[in-house]
Amino acid sequence: MALGLAAFVLLPWYAQQSDDWYAVLGGLFSAGDAGSALAQAATAGRWWLGGGLAAVLVAAVALVRPAGRLQAPWLLVGGGGGVLWLVATGFLVGAGGWAFPALEAAFGELQVNQYGIGIGGFVALVALLMLLASGIARRGYFKGDLFVASAVVGCAMLLLTFIAFPVGKSFAGALLDGDGLFSAAALWERIGNERVWGLACLTGGGRCGVAWNTLFLGLLTAAGTTILGTMLALLSERGASKPMRATLSGLALLPIITPPFVVGLGLILLFGRAGLVNQGLEWAFGIEPSRWFYGLGGIWLAQMFAFTPIAYLIMRGVVQAVAPSLEEAAQMLRAGRRKTFFTITLPLLKPGLANAFLVGFIESMADFGNPIVVGGQYAVLSTEIFFAIVGAQFDQGRAASLAMVLTGFALAVFAIQRWLLAGQKFTTVSGKGDAGIAMALPDGVRRTVRAVALPWLAFTVIIYLFAFAGGFVQVWGRDYTLTLDHFRKAFGLDWGDHGLVWSGTAWASLFTTVKLAALAAPITAAVGLLIAWLLARNDFKGQGAFEFAALLAFAIPGTVLGVSYVLAFNVPPVELTGTGLIIILCFMFRNLPVGVRAGKASFEQLDRSLDEASVMLGASTARTLRSVILPLLKPAIVAALVYSFVRAMTTVSAVIFLVTAEYDLATTYIIGRVGNGDYGLALAYCTVLILILSAATALIQWLVGERRLGRRPARGGRPQGTTGAVAPAR
């Protein structure tokens, strides 16, 4: 309540263009645009802002009521009513007065207007939401736990504001005809045709529609990345020495720390028309070079490189959490290693397998960079959406319609996953003793895993060697003279009259990208894991919709999300276009689902008795989450932090419409160089990015540390603890 009052009285209500906060604070009690809500309502004619202040005062009545259910009505009316009032007036009054002609006709022309909310409006909304959550908890919902109620209300508002609202506004364009009028038939006209749903490929008469192309590619990529990611995780955790494990992790994670088009360029240098494979075939067998690589096979191979690391990150934590005591129990009952693996170990991996498949499927459908580089004539929904927006047709309605098809596919797979896992339990980490030794892989499984995973890792090294080589030669394909000129041009340093000068053309975009990604990554990981905890440990109405909203940002192409942000946040009540904040928010909610899925898979392996024991010993929910649960979630924390930071540094499609001259990013800089034909400079920049991201990944893993489950090492060594699931803190 104190925070809410301060927001209305002591903070500027509207967003400020000036960076001079001394001047801004000096105008708090004036009628200018820097005034607080109280000053705006009293002296500037913006009377509607007084409604929010009145709502806080209504909630304050709860202070004089006995603690408990008698406080609930005042908190619900004050908090909930205040949020609804501010949101309604924010949309009804815009930069030109009334936002709808009907309101102007009914109430007359409004003499004043309003701009996007600033720090005062944001703090006031947060305070009112927390008052609403307090009222919900006082009513007995969420077992009266204020932390859980606040987390659900706060996360729901974030998902509604920064995912559902912009995506919904963009999708609304699918139901508008060419004149901007509502027409349900317009949707069918845009998607109900052979270009989208055609099946001519089955009869040999042509190509299949882009919807079937996308679905088939998504299933193929999801299956491939899940299988390969699981093999890499098993090899890393059960079939490799410690030095080899570090090497495996580094090679497996290499594709995830690379800009998306680098893999495509490397594959083109190897398999393209002028690539080494085609040249070798022509030299050895006289086969004329062709474009055989471009199409479904090329996209699938590129996506396997790009998305297998995500499956590996998810599956590694799941494999680590499989309880050795269960495997030992099976072996004591005379089950061999092979039978134990297929009847005990593999079934316990189901939640990870399901989550890895889901993320791989959605990533494949939303992928834009790989299909545009190596897709050839194989059209998919993401590229069709891109060309509908930036092409000569500029048909936002068609782009929105195709995005709805893409979202429908994601929803269907999401529902199937929930149905397959419904009613099954996969708890493997509990409060009981679990000091067993993890079972080594059966001989046949180990040979199979190595036969598949090791050649794949070697293939990864070859692809990246080709991609890196392009930054160290003058002109690839014509002049292979070794040079560092590309690095000097991009990252040159000189001494001037006033000291060191960052003279390279790429420094500004690199500094901006690192700053925004470093701000977005920890927030993304924290919110993602909090949502995962809410979904895995709490039951509340609307939980399915809540989970789908958290996944929705992955279900649409990054291009559509970027355009949605431009459309939604270009006008009041939230004006963010052209700022660094809109890029941070896009990073955050675009990458949020990975933290949610990785966290949820890990939570499903933790026995609820750990939470219950902590609460029974007097710890609050927040203390339990911080001291008991988070130490057991270190693999999920690493996955969320690494993925969030790396994807923020390397994303293209989601931010291509959000960058400005002031906030130019690394990937947009690289695209500009590629567009100018300066491939050497682009690949040099990519090399520097990979080095930076490798260092950042190692730093994150070192800071977070490894999860310690009190298990004995497989060979020798001193036990880390044998009395419980968690080793004593040091």
Side-chain angles (χ1 to χ4, degrees):
M1 291 173 188
L3 192 64
L5 290 174
F8 281 100
V9 178
L10 300 177
L11 293 175
W13 186 262
Y14 295 113
Q16 302 299 307
Q17 301 299 323
S18 174
D19 293 330
D20 186 0
W21 277 93
Y22 289 104
V24 170
L25 294 177
L28 278 177
F29 303 103
S30 67
D33 293 334
S36 65
L38 181 62
Q40 299 281 347
T43 61
R46 296 186 173 100
W47 50 266
W48 55 87
L49 296 181
L53 180 58
V56 176
L57 297 176
V58 169
V61 177
L63 290 173
V64 299
R65 304 295 293 169
R69 295 180 67 91
L70 294 178
Q71 292 179 326
W74 299 100
L75 293 171
L76 290 172
V77 172
V83 170
L84 292 176
W85 177 263
L86 291 181
V87 171
T89 55
F91 283 103
L92 295 178
V93 182
W98 292 116
F100 300 97
L103 293 174
E104 186 170 342
F107 301 105
E109 184 178 355
L110 196 62
Q111 298 302 316
V112 291
N113 57 3
Q114 68 176 353
Y115 312 105
I117 65 169
I119 184 66
F122 171 75
V123 173
L125 280 172
V126 171
L128 288 168
L129 282 170
M130 294 303 100
L131 291 173
L132 172 62
S134 299
I136 293 173
R138 291 290 190 271
R139 285 285 298 171
Y141 295 102
F142 304 106
K143 300 179 181 179
D145 194 312
L146 179 58
F147 178 81
V148 176
S150 300
V152 171
V153 171
C155 290
M157 193 65 179
L158 287 175
L159 296 176
L160 183 64
T161 304
F162 296 109
I163 296 182
F165 168 62
V167 171
K169 189 167 185 177
S170 177
F171 282 179
L175 299 174
L176 301 177
D177 60 18
D179 298 325
L181 301 176
F182 176 82
S183 173
L187 175 63
W188 180 250
E189 291 176 3
R190 293 180 176 118
I191 64 173
N193 51 61
E194 286 290 319
R195 176 68 180 170
V196 178
W197 299 105
L199 292 172
C201 61
L202 299 181
T203 59
R207 301 187 183 94
C208 278
V210 292
W212 299 121
N213 286 348
T214 306
L215 180 62
F216 179 70
L217 175 65
L219 294 173
L220 198 63
T221 298
T225 55
T226 301
I227 293 171
L228 193 54
T230 304
M231 287 186 171
L232 289 172
L234 289 171
L235 183 61
S236 175
E237 296 302 318
R238 296 291 184 92
S241 61
K242 191 171 183 179
M244 187 179 180
R245 187 180 308 162
T247 304
L248 284 172
S249 297
L251 290 176
L253 291 175
L254 186 59
I256 204 174
I257 61 173
T258 307
F261 32 77
V262 173
V263 172
L265 290 173
L267 290 171
I268 288 173
L269 294 178
L270 187 60
F271 297 111
R273 184 180 178 87
L276 288 188
V277 171
N278 270 325
Q279 291 180 0
L281 291 174
E282 184 180 23
W283 174 78
F285 305 104
I287 300 175
E288 185 177 352
S290 65
R291 296 175 58 86
W292 60 270
F293 175 71
Y294 298 90
L296 174 62
I299 303 174
W300 177 75
L301 187 59
Q303 288 187 346
M304 286 289 291
F305 273 107
F307 306 140
T308 294
I310 305 173
Y312 167 75
L313 284 173
I314 294 174
M315 292 305 304
R316 185 187 176 199
V318 177
V319 171
Q320 286 178 344
V322 172
S325 59
L326 298 177
E327 297 171 329
E328 289 180 343
Q331 291 179 298
M332 290 178 66
L333 293 173
R334 300 183 180 180
R337 281 190 299 167
R338 184 177 183 278
K339 186 173 183 179
T340 300
F341 177 81
F342 285 103
T343 60
I344 302 297
T345 308
L346 200 57
L348 289 173
L349 301 181
K350 281 185 180 180
L353 292 170
N355 282 296
F357 185 92
L358 179 63
V359 172
F361 179 79
I362 294 175
E363 280 277 28
S364 172
M365 290 197 305
D367 182 31
F368 167 76
N370 292 310
I372 202 68
V373 172
V374 297
Q377 299 300 314
Y378 192 84
V380 293
L381 285 168
S382 60
T383 55
E384 289 290 297
I385 292 168
F386 176 77
F387 289 123
I389 294 173
V390 303
Q393 52 186 312
F394 191 66
D395 190 348
Q396 294 185 15
R398 183 168 183 270
S401 302
L402 295 174
M404 292 179 71
V405 176
L406 210 55
T407 305
F409 284 152
L411 177 60
V413 174
F414 174 67
I416 292 172
Q417 183 223 35
R418 287 178 61 88
W419 174 72
L420 289 175
L421 296 181
Q424 301 185 51
K425 294 184 178 181
F426 305 93
T427 301
T428 58
V429 179
S430 69
K432 299 178 180 179
D434 184 20
I437 299 175
M439 182 188 72
L441 292 176
D443 293 339
V445 174
R446 185 179 66 256
R447 286 193 294 267
T448 302
V449 166
R450 289 185 174 180
V452 174
L454 294 180
W456 176 263
L457 294 174
F459 190 31
T460 301
V461 173
I462 293 173
I463 294 298
Y464 278 93
L465 287 176
F466 274 85
F468 294 154
F472 293 91
V473 298
Q474 289 287 357
V475 181
W476 187 271
R478 295 199 300 269
D479 184 357
Y480 291 97
T481 305
L482 295 178
T483 180
L484 294 176
D485 289 345
H486 302 306
F487 291 90
R488 294 191 189 99
K489 184 177 179 181
F491 301 102
L493 293 172
D494 294 320
W495 286 98
D497 297 336
H498 302 285
L500 188 64
V501 178
W502 306 87
S503 58
T505 59
W507 284 118
S509 62
L510 179 63
F511 290 151
T512 300
T513 307
V514 171
K515 178 178 67 175
L516 297 181
L519 290 172
I523 303 173
T524 306
V527 175
L529 293 175
L530 178 61
I531 291 175
W533 177 75
L534 292 173
L535 293 172
R537 285 294 192 265
N538 300 275
D539 299 317
F540 52 90
K541 293 182 179 179
Q543 193 168 8
F546 185 84
E547 184 173 1
F548 177 68
L551 193 67
L552 184 60
F554 251 0
I556 63 173
T559 306
V560 176
L561 186 65
V563 172
S564 299
Y565 269 45
V566 171
L567 295 176
F569 304 129
N570 196 39
V571 294
V574 183
E575 290 182 280
L576 298 174
T577 303
T579 67
L581 181 58
I582 193 172
I583 298 176
I584 292 175
L585 290 170
C586 188
F587 285 162
M588 176 180 170
F589 290 98
R590 175 67 174 156
N591 301 323
L592 185 67
V594 168
V596 175
R597 304 313 303 180
K600 194 167 185 290
S602 295
F603 273 117
E604 287 175 348
Q605 293 183 310
L606 303 182
D607 196 336
R608 287 177 180 261
S609 62
L610 295 171
D611 309 40
E612 295 167 354
S614 177
V615 173
M616 290 177 66
L617 290 173
S620 65
T621 302
R623 174 76 181 275
T624 300
L625 185 62
R626 182 179 68 253
S627 302
V628 177
I629 302 302
L630 285 182
L632 295 173
L633 291 179
K634 287 185 176 181
I637 294 173
V638 170
L641 281 173
V642 169
Y643 185 85
S644 301
F645 182 78
V646 168
R647 282 304 189 197
M649 290 284 291
T650 60
T651 188
V652 180
S653 57
V655 296
I656 194 70
F657 298 106
L658 303 177
V659 295
T660 62
E662 183 180 0
Y663 293 101
D664 190 20
L665 300 180
T667 49
T668 55
Y669 177 94
I670 293 171
I671 288 177
R673 303 290 75 76
V674 172
N676 293 331
D678 197 349
Y679 295 103
L681 182 59
L683 289 172
Y685 199 154
C686 291
T687 301
V688 172
L689 270 185
I690 290 171
L691 293 176
I692 292 174
L693 292 173
S694 299
T697 301
L699 179 63
I700 290 172
Q701 291 177 332
W702 178 76
L703 289 175
V704 176
E706 292 286 339
R707 175 173 58 184
R708 299 170 60 201
L709 298 177
R711 294 171 181 167
R712 299 194 305 274
R715 295 182 181 88
R718 183 179 177 180
Q720 293 182 344
T722 59
T723 58
V726 186
R730 295 181 179 176

